[in-house]
Amino acid sequence: MELQHISEIERATRKGRAELFRLGTGLIFIVGGMLYAAMIGQGEGGVMLAAAAAVGCYMAMNIGANDVANNVGPAVGSKALTLGGALVIAAIFEAAGALIAGGEVVNTIRSGIIDPARIPDPDTFVWVMMSALLAGALWLNIATAVGAPVSTTHSIVGAVLGAGIAASGMGIANWDEVGRIVVSWVVSPLMGGIVAAAFLYLIKRSITYQHDMVTAATRMVPYLVALMAWTFGTYLLLKGLKQVWEVDFLTAVLIGFGFAVAVLFLVRPMVARRAQSIANSKQSVNRLFTAPLIFAAALLSFAHGSNDVANAVGPLAAIVDVLSAGATEISRSAPIPLWVMLMGALGISVGLALFGPKVIKTVGSEITELDQMRAYCIAMSATITVIIASQLGLPVSSTHIAVGGVFGVGFLREYLKSNYARMVADIKAHHPEGDQAAIDAFLARFEVAPIDEKGQMLRELKAKAKQQLDPAHFSKMERKGLRKVYRKELVKRSQLMRIAAAWVITVPASALMAAILFFMMRGMMLD
């Protein structure tokens, strides 16, 4: 065989080798967790514990592969972080959040979605938890394979709901909680998109729409970074560290504000020095947001690890509690053994490293084009929306908020582009046909004018045209330009529909899969 043919075969099989490596590494981690659980278990309970540990490891890997993209995707898409750098930072801080602040006790019934008193016996409870864990993991695996970011909390909640109904009927479900989850499908992305778009508009008005962007950035960026420090400090205290240090809302806000003041005095001279060596362009100003985005990705990953590790280890901890203690009744909460928490933390990191890049690319670059300023707005939205919603008692999903933020900045950009095109059409229509030199001169002044001056220039132009020009002087094409405004789509509608569909079917899909798995497992165990 010729060397050229050998090279072509190697290129063709390179992708397959990478997939086999990821699959093999994932299987090694799952088998390792299963063997460890088998060693510490005894008898029939040891077999069940080993099976539960394998499913728990599988769930943790899928959480890492899908959910962590929300924390680092915008930073990667904006080029603030490379994909490799994001994977390393997220893996470290996800594991640290899970191990340091993941808590020693978790609720056995996630979010109160079912009533444990209606489950007839501990053995049935073990099968409910096992079915829910496996169904949630399978649904996340499917979503990751198609590149759709979905809520891991909704996945496990739907799975617990389905398995519980299969075990004890419809009366076991807390339908009020199910209704709150349905509400979150709308509330979460809508709030996230509005907050992110509002921050982007603030940045555009205060920095990028100014004639001297460097001076404007020197004045505004320290306050924006300090605001980020305030919200992230508050968010970390309320969500990331709540298991190790519980504080009330006002205390968290005051501590976060103190941290923000310190950051303001630290960052202001650094930004001033950096501003002396950058050009007066949007690309240069964008780089001032790079370091804050790296810190944001790390802190979001830490908070996510401390919160969402419960999705992987909560049902597993409940199974361990029942099997190890030989319990005769079902507890609403269970202690988490260190080895269970370690499996959850490592599983999230392993899943992120092996399978996370696909969803990271979806969030970071396949919905809309991101730069550092837009990624900053999405990070701010992810924290502020959760803080506001938690205080108002609104159900929200961090996944839906982050992805909603990406859509929010994309649709705002579309609106601003369309609005600018409308103004250009107005300018052309209020100049005589053929006076291209006057149009070009006016557009050149209009392009560099601050936003307030743009409005004044348009008003003066229209008033002057009304006094001096005959409307019949306008060409047919110019009049048509006033009615049909140029619109450029900056958000991929196909991604919007695909992700929205995945969100809507997450709870029913995982519930159905869990119910089927419960009947299959119980059927295999019956004599």
Side-chain angles (χ1 to χ4, degrees):
M1 185 179 293
E2 296 182 5
L3 290 176
Q4 181 181 355
H5 294 161
I6 294 174
S7 299
E8 291 175 356
I9 293 173
E10 287 183 348
R11 283 195 297 271
T13 59
R14 191 171 298 154
K15 184 177 180 180
R17 290 201 302 269
E19 291 294 336
L20 284 174
F21 172 78
R22 286 193 285 269
L23 180 61
T25 305
L27 284 174
I28 289 172
F29 174 72
I30 292 172
V31 171
M34 182 175 66
L35 292 176
Y36 181 83
M39 286 191 299
I40 64 174
Q42 295 180 355
E44 184 178 337
V47 175
M48 184 67 70
L49 189 62
V55 177
C57 289
Y58 178 50
M59 178 64 173
M61 287 175 57
N62 280 288
I63 290 175
N66 191 287
D67 215 26
V68 181
N70 309 313
N71 306 325
V72 299
V76 173
S78 67
K79 305 296 191 296
L81 276 172
T82 63
L83 180 59
L87 292 174
V88 171
I89 289 174
I92 292 172
F93 282 89
E94 286 279 342
L99 293 173
I100 296 172
E104 298 178 353
V105 177
V106 296
N107 293 329
T108 59
I109 306 299
R110 182 68 178 162
S111 299
I113 198 71
I114 62 174
D115 181 7
R118 291 178 175 267
I119 298 178
D121 56 73
D123 287 340
T124 302
F125 176 75
V126 169
W127 288 113
V128 167
M129 290 293 103
M130 184 83 82
S131 304
L133 202 56
L134 182 56
L138 286 171
W139 173 247
L140 286 175
N141 198 337
I142 293 170
T144 302
V146 300
V150 297
S151 171
T152 57
T153 301
H154 288 183
S155 299
I156 195 65
V157 162
V160 169
L161 176 67
I165 291 174
S168 301
M170 300 292 286
I172 197 174
N174 183 348
W175 294 110
D176 289 340
E177 190 65 31
V178 175
R180 286 167 57 83
I181 292 172
V182 172
V183 169
S184 76
W185 295 341
V186 178
V187 172
S188 299
L190 193 60
M191 287 184 66
I194 291 172
V195 173
F199 269 100
L200 182 60
Y201 189 68
L202 171 66
I203 290 175
K204 285 183 173 295
R205 285 296 299 260
S206 60
I207 298 177
T208 60
Y209 285 168
Q210 301 299 313
H211 180 68
D212 189 349
M213 284 187 281
V214 174
T215 300
T218 305
R219 181 179 63 253
M220 283 296 299
V221 168
Y223 287 102
L224 292 171
V225 175
L227 182 60
M228 174 180 269
W230 189 3
T231 57
F232 270 77
T234 304
Y235 177 80
L236 203 60
L237 289 170
L238 292 175
K239 296 294 181 181
L241 298 173
K242 64 180 180 181
Q243 300 288 355
V244 294
W245 184 26
E246 188 172 351
V247 297
D248 59 77
F249 176 71
L250 182 59
T251 302
V253 170
L254 292 175
I255 294 174
F257 180 75
F259 183 57
V261 172
V263 168
L264 176 63
F265 284 104
L266 178 67
V267 168
R268 184 180 282 166
M270 296 172 60
V271 171
R273 286 195 300 271
R274 182 75 184 275
Q276 294 175 359
S277 59
I278 64 175
N280 186 38
S281 66
K282 183 179 176 182
Q283 290 76 13
S284 298
V285 172
N286 251 312
R287 289 195 286 269
L288 297 175
F289 289 87
T290 299
L293 280 175
I294 295 173
F295 281 101
L299 293 176
L300 283 172
S301 297
F302 183 91
H304 178 270
S306 66
N307 278 314
D308 278 36
V309 70
N311 291 327
V313 304
L316 177 57
I319 294 171
V320 173
D321 186 50
V322 171
L323 294 177
S324 60
T328 58
E329 61 180 19
I330 301 165
S331 174
R332 287 182 177 270
S333 62
I336 305 178
L338 179 61
W339 68 270
V340 172
M341 184 62 78
L342 190 61
M343 278 187 183
L346 290 178
I348 290 175
S349 299
V350 170
L352 169 67
L354 295 178
F355 304 105
K358 186 164 189 175
V359 181
I360 289 175
K361 289 176 182 176
T362 297
V363 175
S365 59
E366 294 181 1
I367 296 174
T368 190
E369 183 182 349
L370 296 178
D371 58 18
Q372 287 93 324
M373 293 181 192
R374 297 166 202 152
Y376 165 89
C377 299
I378 296 163
M380 290 294 292
S381 172
T383 53
I384 289 179
T385 304
V386 170
I387 293 171
I388 294 173
S390 63
Q391 295 309 304
L392 296 176
L394 297 173
V396 292
S397 162
S398 59
T399 299
H400 296 184
I401 291 169
V403 177
V406 177
F407 281 112
V409 299
F411 283 123
L412 177 66
R413 292 177 61 223
E414 275 193 12
Y415 169 76
L416 294 176
K417 290 283 187 182
S418 297
N419 195 47
Y420 185 78
R422 187 182 299 112
M423 290 189 290
V424 171
D426 268 348
I427 291 169
K428 291 181 177 180
H430 287 85
H431 281 83
E433 182 182 7
D435 194 359
Q436 190 62 42
I439 294 174
D440 292 341
F442 190 92
L443 285 175
R445 298 197 311 275
F446 186 78
E447 181 74 28
V448 299
I451 188 68
D452 295 331
E453 289 186 22
K454 282 183 168 69
Q456 182 62 30
M457 289 175 69
L458 281 176
R459 287 190 292 271
E460 291 176 356
L461 177 64
K462 291 177 181 179
K464 183 178 179 182
K466 189 179 295 185
Q467 294 171 3
Q468 297 181 1
L469 298 177
D470 179 1
H473 196 99
F474 302 152
S475 70
K476 183 178 180 181
M477 287 295 295
E478 298 293 352
R479 291 196 302 271
K480 187 178 179 181
L482 286 174
R483 297 190 299 269
K484 185 178 180 181
V485 178
Y486 169 74
R487 179 173 180 174
K488 182 179 181 181
E489 290 190 355
L490 300 177
V491 177
K492 293 183 180 178
R493 268 58 175 178
S494 60
Q495 289 285 9
L496 172 62
M497 299 304 297
R498 184 165 63 91
I499 292 173
W503 287 352
V504 170
I505 66 173
T506 289
V507 171
S510 59
L512 179 61
M513 291 170 66
I516 293 172
L517 287 169
F518 176 81
F519 286 125
M520 289 174 59
M521 290 181 179
R522 285 301 299 269
M524 288 187 292
M525 296 301 294
L526 292 175
D527 293 332

